[in-house]
Amino acid sequence: MPILYSDPRIDVPPGVDFLDAEQARAWVSACEVAKPWRDPMRRRFAGLVSALPPGARVLEIGAGPGYLAEIVLHNCPNLESYTLLDFSEHMLELSQKRLAGFKAAR
């Protein structure tokens, strides 16, 4: 099933099944190309998280493939933990691979 992004205002188009590995991976690949505003948004979040005191713990709900976590963990090395929560095992697998080098990632 092709994933189309004809309307950039729709972040997650209807019909994407994130419980299906192929659809989840296709969405991740297409999304980074179709939504260039996400990277500056992630960097802004990282800036906000960097104001937390050393040893802070973060929970990201709906973490997807870990793009936000990667930027936050890269810019905020003093976090005690950064826990990613997502209903899609496939997204969590992608995030585990992406974040393997960060000891705070859970």
Side-chain angles (χ1 to χ4, degrees), residues 30-53:
C31 190
E32 288 308 297
V33 173
K35 302 182 184 311
W37 62 84
R38 284 179 159 223
D39 191 58
M41 178 185 67
R42 291 181 190 120
R43 294 186 186 287
R44 176 71 176 126
F45 277 115
L48 295 170
V49 172
S50 71
L52 294 173

Side-chain angles (χ1 to χ4, degrees), residues 31-92:
C31 190
E32 288 308 297
V33 173
K35 302 182 184 311
W37 62 84
R38 284 179 159 223
D39 191 58
M41 178 185 67
R42 291 181 190 120
R43 294 186 186 287
R44 176 71 176 126
F45 277 115
L48 295 170
V49 172
S50 71
L52 294 173
R57 295 178 290 171
V58 174
L59 169 63
E60 182 184 348
I61 299 172
Y67 287 124
L68 173 59
E70 181 178 37
I71 289 175
V72 170
L73 289 165
H74 179 74
N75 290 289
C76 307
N78 294 324
L79 293 176
E80 180 179 320
S81 67
Y82 190 107
T83 303
L84 291 86
L85 179 67
D86 202 290
F87 74 93
S88 170
E89 287 183 39
H90 307 295
M91 289 294 187
L92 290 174

